[in-house]
């Protein structure tokens, strides 16, 4: 399961499901909680649907939203995954620098499909429209897809 479904891109949605800014869809892919969003800039993004504080899901189902909030301590994230609010932030010195956003997942939106690799790429690899996986500045075959760390938070 990990070798095939977590290390290679999967079609996790369609562009028509995320038509306008604020549209989102939360789902599980190969046992990994994923959040797809259409940002205020019109770009589709994929994140681990996991709060960086305690690991709770920040979104469920599908719909339209401006922010996502953890049900436990109300840490809030915007459509681009950036942390926007931490109640009692003074109790968490340096946390914004350590965990400034939701963990992004490699994604490509092409031909109406949203392709996502459901594990964060440790080396910054992305999914290219020309091939399945690409490290910035270098092509690489899909069999050498980057392995992601196991830690989600």
């Amino acid at each position: 399961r990990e070798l095939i479904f977590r290390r290679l891109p999967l079609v996790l949605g369609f562009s028509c499901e995320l038509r306008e800014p604020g549209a989102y869809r939360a789902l599980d892919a190969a046992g990994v909680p994923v959040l797809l969003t259409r940002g205020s800039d019109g770009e589709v993004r994929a994140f681990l649907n996991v709060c960086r504080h305690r690991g709770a899901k920040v979104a469920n189902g599908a719909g339209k939203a401006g922010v996502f909030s953890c049900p436990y301590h109300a840490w809030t994230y915007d459509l681009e995954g950036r942390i926007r609010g931490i109640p009692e932030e003074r109790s968490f010195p340096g946390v914004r620098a350590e965990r400034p956003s939701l963990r992004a997942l490699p994604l490509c939106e092409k031909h109406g499909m949203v392709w996502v690799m459901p594990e964060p790429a440790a080396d910054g690899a992305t999914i290219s429209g020309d091939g399945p996986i690409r490290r910035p500045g270098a092509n690489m075959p899909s069999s050498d897809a980057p392995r992601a760390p196991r830690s989600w938070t």
Side-chain angles (χ1 to χ4, degrees), residues 25-109:
R25 182 171 179 232
L27 64 145
D28 282 350
V32 177
V34 176
L35 174 61
L36 302 175
T37 69
R38 173 89 54 189
S40 55
D41 59 0
E43 293 293 318
V44 174
R45 291 177 176 81
F47 306 100
L48 287 176
N49 185 13
V50 175
C51 177
R52 297 297 303 270
H53 181 221
R54 292 287 184 220
K57 290 182 179 182
V58 296
N60 290 296
K64 188 169 180 180
V67 295
F68 302 99
S69 184
C70 177
Y72 290 109
H73 299 104
W75 285 31
T76 306
Y77 302 88
D78 66 15
L79 296 170
E80 287 75 31
R82 295 178 300 243
I83 196 155
R84 286 296 177 217
I86 301 174
E88 302 294 327
E89 187 169 352
R90 66 183 176 277
S91 299
F92 304 98
V95 74
R96 279 188 193 259
E98 293 171 11
R99 304 178 215 172
S101 62
L102 294 172
R103 300 278 310 270
L105 299 173
L107 172 140
C108 178
E109 181 181 20

